Amino acid sequence: MAAWGERLAGVRGVLLDISGVLYDGGEDGGTPIPGSVEAVARLKLSKLKVRFCTNDSQKSRRDLVGLLQRQGFDISEGEVTSPAPATSLILKERGLRPHLLIHDGVRSEFDQIDTSNPNCVVIADAGEGFSYQNMNEAFRVLMDLEKPVLISLGKGRYYKETSGLMLDVGAYMKALEYACGIEAEVVGKPSPEYFQLALKEMGVEAHETQRMGQSPMLRLTEIAPKRPCGGACRQEHLS
């Protein structure tokens, strides 16, 4: 197998997934995946630009970074692309006033957003907030709009925590799509626009970037995801 340096020849930047790659979440904060702290440290010592890309929509970026720092990761807020801040920017740019069906842990990301008289619905991984009552309220808001807009922070089917698999926002997004006869706008992986945002923040082009996901160490093995990084981004996993 080619050496790690050879496998990254021509690469200027690395995109790292977080959940299930750096750590497995849980009610106690979760645990780092063995070898992941050392793997990130090794990348940071290289000349590569490193950016962390997550679909976590239950924690603010500040809280997520604080959690990872306590687990030993070398990471800062400015290195993380997450869907809630990206969605907040979209809402401001388009003058949208959302009805929020989100987790309390990420609500602070929308503190500066006008939520009166909503003209769209924003849905995230609301956890226990996905009650019938809350889903039906979001459905009614959409049905009352002449041109309903549904924005989903990711569209994952499920994710892993230390207690087991957890149903993700995608299932609830699909329910609202079906009920309202609409298609959601997805902010987060695997949206090409989301990866392009991360690349812009890193200051590199897609063909110069390696995406790493799934498994812990720095021996690189190719994977083939359905959507690369909004371009010809190399795809690997930490293994």
Side-chain angles (χ1 to χ4, degrees):
M1 180 178 291
W4 179 64
E6 295 174 5
R7 296 293 296 275
L8 293 180
V11 172
R12 294 180 55 223
V14 174
L15 281 177
L16 286 171
D17 291 356
I18 295 180
S19 179
V21 175
L22 301 187
Y23 86 115
D24 286 328
E27 292 183 2
D28 59 352
T31 57
I33 291 173
S36 58
V37 172
E38 294 80 6
V40 170
R42 184 176 177 185
L43 281 173
K44 288 292 193 75
L45 289 173
S46 73
K47 295 180 180 180
L48 297 170
K49 294 183 178 181
V50 178
R51 189 152 193 91
F52 302 87
C53 197
T54 181
N55 266 4
D56 192 320
S57 59
Q58 286 198 348
K59 303 178 189 69
S60 68
R61 183 161 51 179
R62 175 178 296 179
D63 289 344
L64 177 61
V65 167
L67 170 65
L68 292 171
Q69 287 174 341
R70 290 190 295 274
Q71 293 181 349
F73 290 99
D74 179 5
I75 185 173
S76 65
E77 274 190 69
E79 296 174 309
V80 177
T81 299
S82 59
T87 300
S88 184
L89 286 174
I90 291 171
L91 296 173
K92 291 177 180 178
E93 291 171 356
R94 293 167 56 180
L96 293 172
R97 303 179 304 277
H99 170 82
L100 296 172
L101 179 48
I102 62 177
H103 195 278
D104 286 343
V106 79
R107 200 167 293 275
S108 62
E109 300 281 15
F110 298 92
D111 282 348
Q112 304 303 313
I113 299 297
D114 181 7
T115 57
S116 63
N117 190 26
N119 57 5
C120 72
V121 167
V122 169
I123 184 173
D125 181 8
E128 298 297 327
F130 280 133
S131 65
Y132 174 82
Q133 180 179 352
N134 290 342
M135 283 289 290
N136 200 52
E137 185 177 2
F139 163 72
R140 287 177 173 177
V141 170
L142 289 168
M143 292 299 286
D144 284 342
L145 296 173
E146 183 178 352
K147 295 181 178 180
V149 175
L150 173 62
I151 299 176
S152 180
L153 277 63
K155 64 173 187 178
R157 294 179 296 164
Y158 58 86
Y159 55 93
K160 181 184 178 184
E161 289 197 342
T162 52
S163 60
L165 298 179
M166 309 293 289
L167 199 60
D168 204 353
V169 63
Y172 302 94
M173 178 199 81
K174 286 294 185 182
L176 290 174
E177 283 184 331
Y178 178 71
C180 300
I182 60 175
E183 184 174 346
E185 301 176 28
V186 177
V187 180
K189 299 177 291 184
S191 164
E193 293 80 10
Y194 189 63
F195 285 117
Q196 286 292 344
L197 173 62
L199 295 174
K200 181 179 179 181
E201 291 170 330
M202 245 196 322
V204 297
E205 299 295 327
H207 68 276
E208 302 172 314
T209 306
Q210 187 84 52
R211 181 184 169 200
M212 297 182 182
Q214 301 305 320
S215 203
M217 307 295 283
L218 274 176
R219 297 190 304 272
L220 302 177
T221 304
E222 291 183 1
I223 60 172
K226 294 180 181 178
R227 286 271 185 93
C229 318
C233 217
R234 302 185 186 191
Q235 303 290 326
E236 302 281 349
H237 77 238
L238 297 172
S239 64

